[in-house]
Structures are given as structure tokens and as C-alpha cells.
Amino acid sequence: GDSVTQMEGPVTLSEEAFLTINCTYTATGYPSLFWYVQYPGEGLQLLLKATKADDKGSNKGFEATYRKETTSFHLEKGSVQVSDSAVYFCALSDGGATNKLIFGTGTLLAVQP
Amino acid sequence: NAGVTQTPKFQVLKTGQSMTLQCAQDMNHEYMSWYRQDPGMGLRLIHYSVGAGITDQGEVPNGYNVSRSTTEDFPLRLLSAAPSQTSVYFCASSYPGQSEGYTFGSGTRLTVV
């Protein structure tokens, strides 16, 4: 079945460092891909999305490109801030009638001043 | 504010007790889902609904029941709580179509002792 694999954390960075969180997926069809962010004590918020190959999603300085050839959707940010400290989830929607989301295990990002 | 509302935010149950986690959305979303979040396992789908009167099982449905009598509400029932059901529960909703991400509630932290 469809699945999402993302790098294990925690990822610890200094402020203004470059961030990459790897995400790869397995899917039989043409899924949409998402990154969600969960700040401490809160629910998940949609960070960005891409619906087809070569699409780039972007929001709040974060970017991810839908790479069908490598089945990847890596999250990047050029200069992280302390306020970016959170858990990041990669997810896919299989596009079927149920619109179900399948999540990776999440990656904790800790940014130090 | 429009969104997904979950109640209660925190709950402690004794083994064998029953309870209902409430979820309501005011965005007229057709799709609603319940997920549980456990350390190192990401979010796993418990039950989902594609519209009023229609529900189906997700990845981990055992021990949980749902119903969808209205578009707005999607309660999750624990019939006989077990310590293995200690988790954080999230309700989410969305419009049809794989390109739309889900809107999540703020979660219910449940402890079964």
C-alpha cells in the first residue's frame, strides 16, 4: 500500500542555518503531497502542498518540490528561526474517493538561538 | 472562528470506562476523519466519513465506533477504554478532492489508567 518515509529526528540547528527534511513516498497512483507542521501543544497545520509532478509548494520561507522520478518531496528552508521549532509531517493523499491522508512518522526540529 | 472544534482537550479514564470524543466543523466539509498520534508512529487513521450517514474503518479501528448523522459532527466513541488507547486524538475535515489539505482540530489528550 501507499506509504511515506521521512528522516528521523530530532534535527537540531542553529538559527539562520539551512534546513532539509527528507521525505520519500510509495504510491501506485498520482498522489498529492503535503507538509504539515505541529507546534508544541497544538494541532496540525497545513504548511504547503503540491498536486502534480514538478510542482513546487511554498509558504513562510519553506519550499518542497514534487519529484516523481525520485518519489521525493523534501522540505527546505534557507534560514531557520527559533520560531520554526516544531514537528514536521510529510503526507500524501491517494486521490481516491476517500481522500485519505497517509502520514510519515514526523521529524522534530529544534532551532537554537 | 471557522474551523474544527474538539472537546474535551484532556481526559483521564479508568480501564473499562466508556466515553465520546466530540468533533464539530463549521466549514461544510464533506470529509471527516479521526487520527491518533503516538510517539514514533506519526498519525494513524482510525475511522473516516465521506459524508453524512457514511463511515468506514481506517488503519486502527478496533475499540472505536463512529457515526455521522450530520455534516457538522463526527463523534468518536470508546466503548471500553484500554491503556493501549492512551494517545492524542485529532479530528480533521476537508472538501472532496485530493488537492485540498485537511483542517485539524487542536486535539484531545486521553490517558487510560
Side-chain angles (χ1 to χ4, degrees):
Chain A
D2 295 353
S3 65
V4 175
T5 302
Q6 60 182 107
M7 63 187 290
E8 293 188 15
V11 174
T12 303
L13 296 174
S14 297
E15 206 165 23
E16 299 184 2
F18 183 85
L19 168 70
T20 300
I21 300 178
N22 291 335
C23 171
T24 57
Y25 68 91
T26 301
T28 53
Y30 300 93
S32 289
L33 301 174
F34 305 87
W35 277 100
Y36 281 84
V37 59
Q38 183 181 32
Y39 298 104
E42 298 184 10
L44 277 72
Q45 303 174 25
L46 179 62
L47 181 60
L48 53 83
K49 66 181 182 183
T51 59
K52 62 182 186 298
D54 299 324
D55 269 2
K56 177 185 284 188
S58 62
N59 186 25
K60 299 181 181 179
F62 291 90
E63 293 182 340
T65 301
Y66 190 143
R67 301 287 188 198
K68 191 172 186 297
E69 64 276 14
T70 55
T71 62
S72 64
F73 193 55
H74 304 321
L75 182 68
E76 297 182 336
K77 187 175 185 182
S79 176
V80 294
Q81 306 300 312
V82 172
S83 57
D84 293 326
S85 297
V87 179
Y88 292 83
F89 291 93
C90 186
L92 69 82
S93 175
D94 61 6
T98 61
N99 202 35
K100 289 186 288 186
L101 274 179
I102 298 169
F103 286 90
T105 54
T107 301
L108 173 64
L109 170 65
V111 181
Q112 299 175 337
Chain B
N1 292 336
V4 178
T5 302
Q6 289 184 239
T7 56
K9 291 190 181 300
F10 302 94
Q11 183 71 48
V12 178
L13 288 179
K14 294 182 179 179
T15 297
Q17 287 185 317
S18 63
M19 79 160 295
T20 299
L21 279 62
Q22 301 291 344
C23 176
Q25 53 92 8
D26 58 3
M27 297 170 285
N28 203 31
H29 285 169
E30 291 187 32
Y31 291 172
M32 295 187 75
S33 301
W34 277 101
Y35 290 86
R36 59 177 289 172
Q37 181 180 23
D38 301 294
M41 304 190 74
L43 278 80
R44 294 180 292 169
L45 182 64
I46 303 172
H47 284 284
Y48 64 96
S49 169
V50 299
I54 305 170
T55 64
D56 207 346
Q57 297 181 351
E59 181 184 358
V60 288
N62 292 340
Y64 308 95
N65 278 353
V66 293
S67 60
R68 185 96 180 271
S69 56
T70 67
T71 299
E72 294 79 18
D73 299 301
F74 191 45
L76 178 71
R77 299 184 185 85
L78 283 70
L79 301 178
S80 178
S84 61
Q85 294 178 304
T86 294
S87 187
V88 181
Y89 292 85
F90 288 100
C91 180
S93 70
S94 81
Y95 290 114
Q98 65 168 332
S99 65
E100 297 298 321
Y102 273 80
T103 300
F104 281 80
S106 57
T108 295
R109 183 173 295 275
L110 175 68
T111 301
V112 183
V113 298

